[in-house]
Amino acid sequence: MSSQVSALKLFDLIQSHRVTAVIHVAVKLGIAELLRDGPQTLGELAKSTSADEQSLGRLLTALATIGICERTSEGSYALTEVGAGLDGEAKQSFKSWAIFEAEMLSERWSGLLESVMTGKTAAELQGLANSFELMGLTPEHVTIFNAAMTELTRLVTPDILRSYDFSGISHLMDVGGGSGELLGAIAQQNRKLRGTVFDLPRCAEAAGNHLRQIGVSDRVEFAAGDFFKSVPTVADAIILKSIIHDWNDARSISILRNCRQSLPGGGKLLLVERLMPETPGTADDDKAHAMSDLNMMRGPGGSERTKRQYRELLEQSGFALAAIHPAGRFNVIEARSAQAMQG
């Protein structure tokens, strides 16, 4: 690669934050929803959004260069398959994630240097316990966060359902299960399964509404509590999606030990997490894992871990690693009681 090519590649990487900004404006203007039913002219879009027509045209040009929309032969603008994901009604929408990334994470990452220098999270630098306490100071941020997490879970769920057979489980508890998106989908696929969504009381209403809406509320219930204090003794298997990566080792072990105490001797623990390679390369997955790791460092204080690190974490919590089931960019990490594995 020539020095000029390398320099231009670096230049583009440095400017990549502009892509997030462009997508965020498109989301706030509702461009995807306006183009949902077919192409529209610049004039039509300007009228619908109340935006300056010339400036909107320049935005649409930028959106076309990154594959969100495209200019038709008639001069109108049409939504691409990629851009359709910015529609809030899309089956796999990332509208809420775009808002989360632009309005919350971009600001958080602006202080990354301070976290690297001090080893402290954004919340700790402000004298607060963790990012969830910091987020709770702004109710609007809680709403944005919950919507974004639901979208991410919706993306990962099909891979989880393909990678792991839940048919042998009679009662599954999703610890930190939020609105019940994952457990609800598992229950829909496994008609005999009973389930419990366990999370903070503030998640009860959203979970109840979602579970009723998808028709599993007769088998899946919500239980309120704090997984740092205790976990209900109701299930023969526990699943935690993107929970352990939020926390440092000490806090993760506290959660996992509470899960261990709540499970029967032969119970299963399922962690849905990214797995960092021991030596990350430049592949897209490796980059995604590394960026998520920095997000955990700046945010709640956790990390993305390697297989070896998860094995050690589980062993310190009374579990033994049983198997790893790849699920797209994530994995279902299966563990059981160390005593049961030895027996």
Side-chain angles (χ1 to χ4, degrees):
M1 186 180 293
S2 71
S3 59
Q4 181 69 4
V5 171
S6 298
L8 287 172
K9 182 176 181 180
L10 175 61
F11 186 64
D12 290 340
L13 285 171
I14 292 169
Q15 297 185 103
S16 57
H17 67 98
R18 299 182 185 185
V19 173
T20 302
V22 166
I23 292 173
H24 178 241
V25 174
V27 162
K28 299 299 281 188
L29 292 176
I31 298 297
E33 286 85 355
L34 291 171
L35 296 179
R36 179 192 297 160
D37 297 323
Q40 291 194 28
T41 65
L42 173 58
E44 290 171 329
L45 290 169
K47 183 178 180 180
S48 297
T49 60
S50 299
D52 176 75
E53 186 169 329
Q54 184 179 24
S55 300
L56 180 61
R58 294 164 75 173
L59 177 76
L60 289 166
T61 295
L63 289 168
T65 67
I66 60 174
I68 298 299
C69 64
E70 57 189 7
R71 189 87 176 266
T72 69
S73 57
E74 293 80 21
S76 296
Y77 290 90
L79 203 60
T80 65
E81 186 176 352
V82 172
L86 297 180
D87 184 342
E89 298 300 317
K91 183 177 180 181
Q92 181 53 74
S93 174
F94 273 119
K95 181 173 184 173
S96 295
W97 193 276
I99 294 171
F100 175 55
E101 191 76 41
E103 298 183 10
M104 291 176 62
L105 292 189
S106 291
E107 181 180 355
R108 179 195 293 174
W109 275 61
S110 67
L112 182 61
L113 175 61
E114 197 171 7
S115 288
V116 171
M117 296 301 293
T118 64
K120 294 183 178 181
T121 67
E124 288 170 342
L125 288 164
Q126 295 182 51
L128 299 171
N130 56 63
S131 61
F132 295 102
E133 183 178 337
L134 175 61
M135 183 171 59
L137 299 177
T138 310
E140 181 186 358
H141 284 180
V142 176
T143 301
I144 292 172
F145 174 82
N146 288 341
M149 292 307 108
T150 295
E151 288 183 349
L152 179 59
T153 299
R154 199 169 291 155
L155 173 71
V156 176
T157 296
D159 288 326
I160 296 172
L161 293 175
R162 281 191 293 268
S163 71
Y164 193 81
D165 181 5
F166 292 91
S167 62
I169 297 171
S170 61
H171 193 132
L172 178 65
M173 177 164 53
D174 189 348
V175 171
S179 64
E181 183 74 32
L182 175 58
L183 185 52
I186 294 171
Q188 283 182 310
Q189 188 187 70
N190 297 269
R191 299 293 179 178
K192 295 182 180 180
L193 181 136
R194 300 191 64 81
T196 300
V197 177
F198 179 66
D199 213 318
L200 296 171
R202 68 185 182 206
C203 300
E205 183 177 0
N209 290 339
H210 177 68
L211 296 171
R212 282 191 295 273
Q213 185 179 8
I214 65 172
V216 299
S217 58
D218 59 326
R219 295 182 288 120
V220 183
E221 61 182 2
F222 181 87
D226 182 344
F227 52 47
F228 286 116
K229 295 179 180 178
S230 65
V231 173
T233 306
V234 295
D236 58 314
I238 288 175
I239 190 167
L240 301 94
K241 183 208 155 286
S242 300
I243 299 296
I244 298 304
H245 82 149
D246 282 341
W247 307 103
N248 62 26
D249 285 0
R251 303 213 78 184
S252 294
I253 289 169
S254 176
I255 298 168
L256 292 171
R257 284 179 176 170
N258 285 338
C259 290
R260 175 66 195 91
Q261 290 174 6
S262 79
L263 283 170
K268 298 178 182 177
L269 176 76
L270 305 172
L271 306 181
V272 180
E273 296 285 0
R274 299 174 184 269
L275 278 182
M276 282 283 284
E278 290 288 349
T279 307
T282 57
D284 287 346
D285 284 2
D286 291 6
K287 180 173 69 176
H289 296 346
M291 294 301 174
S292 181
D293 181 58
L294 288 177
N295 195 44
M296 294 304 103
M297 180 184 76
R298 179 67 179 159
S303 65
E304 301 299 348
R305 297 175 172 90
T306 64
K307 176 181 177 180
R308 175 183 54 80
Q309 289 171 323
Y310 270 112
R311 185 191 300 276
E312 293 172 354
L313 202 62
L314 288 166
E315 289 174 353
Q316 292 178 66
S317 308
F319 286 102
L321 179 63
I324 291 179
H325 309 269
R329 280 189 174 173
F330 287 73
N331 300 268
V332 179
I333 304 169
E334 182 178 356
R336 305 199 182 189
S337 159
Q339 290 181 336
M341 292 283 284
Q342 291 170 357

